[in-house]
Amino acid sequence: MEAVLWQTLAGTRGGPNRVRILSALDDRPRNANRLADDLDLAYNTIRHHLDVLEDNDIVTSADESYGTVYLPSERARRHWETIEDIISQVEQ
């Protein structure tokens, strides 16, 4: 999982936005629209990054309907120390 986290959050051009999204979700679960507003990013950008994070089991969704709420996955929580290391390096 560590390699997946490093690649997804730090190894690509979209990594910094994924870090911002994951940090926001750690603070409070939210839907894509709320994330777009809170992070001042386009809704389509948020959707793309959420799809990448969900495909890599870093975030999970509460349901599959309109207004789906996202939160960090249990797998991500088990590796949160690694995520914090990545966040500290990406934010430098």
Side-chain angles (χ1 to χ4, degrees):
M1 179 66 171
E2 285 190 29
V4 169
L5 290 169
W6 279 100
Q7 176 62 30
T8 305
L9 301 176
T12 63
R13 198 174 70 187
N17 279 333
R18 291 185 196 121
V19 163
R20 290 178 63 207
I21 291 167
L22 189 57
S23 294
L25 294 177
D26 179 45
D27 181 46
R28 177 172 42 103
R30 306 163 207 227
N31 65 28
N33 195 43
R34 172 56 69 189
L35 281 166
D37 289 344
D38 291 349
L39 300 178
D40 197 28
L41 292 170
Y43 176 82
N44 288 340
T45 299
I46 293 290
R47 287 290 329 135
H48 166 74
H49 290 303
L50 285 171
D51 288 344
V52 171
L53 291 167
E54 198 164 30
D55 288 347
N56 286 284
D57 196 25
I58 298 170
V59 300
T60 188
S61 57
D63 59 42
E64 295 295 323
S65 64
Y66 176 80
T68 300
V69 174
Y70 294 88
L71 61 154
S73 69
E74 286 300 316
R75 189 173 179 202
R77 291 275 181 215
R78 287 193 302 271
H79 293 85
W80 201 256
E81 187 173 309
T82 300
I83 291 171
E84 287 177 339
D85 288 344
I86 295 168
I87 288 171
S88 69
Q89 289 191 27
V90 169
E91 291 179 340
Q92 290 181 357

